[in-house]
Amino acid sequence: MDMQGIEKMMTLINTANKVGKALEPKKAKTDGENSLTDFAEVLKNSIDKVNQKQQTADQMQTAFAAGDTTQNLHEVMIALQTASVSFQEMVQVRNKLVTAYQDVMSMQV
């Protein structure tokens, strides 16, 4: 996975998050609202999950190629495909976030 691209994306997201928090009106917490979820934290957790899927699929593939009899070909292929689809989904989300960030930054105030 391209760590430099992920770091750039996280920088953009953190900047957007800070701008959003600065513009967000202050409101009192209600009883049902225990804590606010940080957008950057949710995104980081999602990226970590995708990374974990890729690492698991890679380990399964390596074990299968080494002759591990506990690995079935169809399970390895499913894990690889799931990791691939998850990564493609993350890239599309990143593209939408970058587009939204560029749209917000190009707005005239």
Side-chain angles (χ1 to χ4, degrees), residues 57-73:
D58 187 48
Q59 290 170 355
M60 289 175 72
Q61 179 183 18
T62 303
F64 182 77
D68 186 357
T69 58
T70 62
Q71 299 293 327
N72 293 327
L73 177 61

Side-chain angles (χ1 to χ4, degrees), residues 48-108:
D48 289 342
K49 286 179 185 177
V50 170
N51 187 38
Q52 182 61 39
K53 283 183 183 182
Q54 287 184 326
Q55 289 176 351
T56 301
D58 187 48
Q59 290 170 355
M60 289 175 72
Q61 179 183 18
T62 303
F64 182 77
D68 186 357
T69 58
T70 62
Q71 299 293 327
N72 293 327
L73 177 61
H74 67 278
E75 290 174 350
V76 174
M77 294 304 294
I78 289 170
L80 288 168
Q81 200 63 23
T82 302
S84 175
V85 169
S86 297
F87 182 75
Q88 290 173 4
E89 180 184 19
M90 181 185 69
V91 168
Q92 291 301 317
V93 169
R94 182 210 55 180
N95 291 344
K96 292 292 183 180
L97 286 171
V98 169
T99 302
Y101 176 77
Q102 290 171 342
D103 289 346
V104 168
M105 296 311 282
S106 67
M107 285 183 186
Q108 294 182 359

